[in-house]
Amino acid sequence: MPDLPPLLLSRDRLSHDLTPNELAKRVKAGALVRLRHGVYTEGPRWRTLAPWEQYRLTVQAAAETFQKPTVFARRSAASVWGIPFVGYSHPVAALTLKNDGGRSRCGVQRHFAGGAGLQVVQREGLLVTSRLRTVLDLAAFLPFAEAVPAMDHVLRPDPAHSLPALTKAELEDAVGATYSAAASRRIRAVLGFADPLSESVGESLSRAVIHLAGFEAPILQQRFSDAGGLVGYVDFCWKWSRVVGEFDGETKYVKQEYLRGKTVSQVVVAEKNRENRIRALGFDVVRWDWAELRRPGALERKLAVAGAPRRRTRSAGS
């Protein structure tokens, strides 16, 4: 669990010279945050964590309270593997071998899994479903658009976690007889659509929303050049309709690996100059952010106004 604050367990309070009243006072003052019954962490550090880091810590907090070996799955396993998913206000997900329809208790959702063929590994001190099984579960049980970012991600190498890319053939072979016919169809729909050229969660989700809205598939990472040389690469391009789409996540303006030694204002100016050069080539540039991506219909309306092409229906012929 790298770079995350430590957990304080109430059962260990005596070793920290804390009484129950002192724990309560520290929570009230914001010095501690209570993650679940009997588990706390440092308040100031908790508030600096990104949402996905906070979720990962809640998984760890749940693990500290279980009396029996527990296998984490779905989004919880994904958080351990570093597989991205949409939203982070989710219950902790764990497996049960008892087929009673699953149950939720104390912020933990239990999901049935047959023991046959179940691959479990130990990672960061937790038992989790294998990386391959985790991403297949996400495709099987999440909405299509939410499953696409995870599938796109595992098709690329993950240097941050020292993990190789998975192949579509590996993923297809692993579907096997583990899932119902309906779940298998959902997995194959996500797998068929997945593309490692999407470079972020926002780009992957955008591409899924674009598809579900009925637009033609854009070219990904289209290269642009002008008389001055390389302009850059764009997230989405409908070449014949002269439309470019760009997802504006916060990452490029705050993370050092994207700033590359520049200030935020320098990056913003460079991005504006890049966009002006693309417009000078005769393309309309449409930009959107997380707020617009999450708002139903917002991205579809922007692309429609810009003239992004819709997919032809079967009845329209070829």
Side-chain angles (χ1 to χ4, degrees):
M1 193 174 54
D3 302 324
L4 295 180
L7 298 176
L8 171 63
L9 309 182
S10 59
R11 65 175 180 263
D12 298 332
R13 62 181 172 76
L14 292 179
S15 62
H16 296 276
D17 295 322
L18 291 172
T19 67
N21 283 341
E22 287 170 334
L23 277 176
K25 286 179 181 178
R26 292 194 181 192
V27 170
K28 188 174 182 179
L32 291 177
V33 171
R34 181 179 179 273
L35 301 182
R36 57 188 296 115
H37 181 69
V39 187
Y40 306 83
T41 194
E42 300 167 8
R45 286 191 63 186
W46 168 264
R47 289 184 282 276
T48 66
L49 297 178
W52 57 90
E53 293 171 323
Q54 291 181 343
Y55 179 79
R56 171 66 184 86
L57 202 57
T58 63
V59 174
Q60 189 73 29
E64 295 290 353
T65 65
F66 295 152
Q67 301 298 315
K68 298 179 180 179
T70 300
V71 178
F72 293 94
R74 303 193 187 186
R75 292 185 182 96
S76 296
S79 74
V80 177
W81 285 108
I83 299 172
F85 50 90
V86 179
Y88 295 92
S89 297
H90 302 293
V92 172
L95 296 185
T96 176
L97 300 181
K98 186 177 180 181
N99 192 6
D100 56 3
R103 59 194 182 277
S104 182
R105 184 182 177 189
C106 300
V108 178
Q109 179 68 54
R110 300 278 179 173
H111 302 281
F112 170 71
L118 179 63
Q119 292 183 322
V120 175
V121 301
Q122 186 173 113
R123 185 171 177 83
E124 296 181 8
L126 303 178
L127 295 177
V128 296
T129 51
S130 69
R131 184 170 174 239
L132 198 150
R133 172 65 183 259
T134 298
V135 75
L136 291 180
D137 279 354
L138 296 178
F141 303 115
L142 296 188
F144 175 85
E146 293 185 28
V148 168
M151 192 68 77
D152 284 353
H153 176 82
V154 299
L155 294 178
R156 304 187 301 270
D158 183 353
H161 297 89
S162 302
L163 295 169
L166 297 176
T167 68
K168 287 194 175 187
E170 286 179 283
L171 290 156
E172 174 68 35
D173 289 345
V175 176
T178 301
Y179 300 92
S180 68
S184 296
R185 286 193 296 271
R186 289 193 293 271
I187 292 171
R188 291 189 172 101
V190 175
L191 186 55
F193 183 76
D195 193 321
L197 289 179
S198 286
E199 295 182 338
S200 70
V201 179
E203 287 182 33
S204 293
L205 182 60
S206 295
R207 193 165 56 84
V209 170
I210 288 167
H211 173 75
L212 293 174
F215 292 100
E216 285 185 11
I219 301 169
L220 305 183
Q221 309 306 325
Q222 174 66 48
R223 186 180 191 273
F224 277 85
S225 298
D226 60 12
L230 176 67
V231 176
Y233 295 82
V234 300
D235 298 337
F236 308 98
C237 180
W238 290 270
K239 206 167 185 178
W240 306 116
S241 300
R242 315 295 284 181
V243 176
V244 159
E246 291 276 76
F247 170 72
D248 275 332
E250 297 176 358
T251 304
K252 69 174 72 173
Y253 303 114
V254 297
K255 285 198 173 183
Q256 290 304 314
E257 59 263 39
Y258 291 89
L259 293 174
R260 296 176 182 174
K262 299 179 181 178
T263 66
V264 173
S265 60
Q266 287 174 326
V267 170
V268 170
V269 170
E271 189 69 15
K272 184 61 178 176
N273 291 338
R274 172 178 168 275
E275 180 177 322
N276 288 338
R277 290 172 70 184
I278 293 172
R279 290 186 185 279
L281 293 171
F283 284 80
D284 192 0
V285 179
V286 182
R287 309 189 79 95
W288 60 90
D289 56 19
W290 272 112
E292 292 170 304
L293 185 54
R294 291 187 176 114
R295 192 160 62 245
L299 177 54
E300 180 178 2
R301 288 190 291 272
K302 293 189 82 164
L303 291 177
V305 168
R310 301 276 187 173
R311 290 197 301 275
R312 198 188 342 256
T313 63
R314 290 183 181 180
S315 62
S318 59

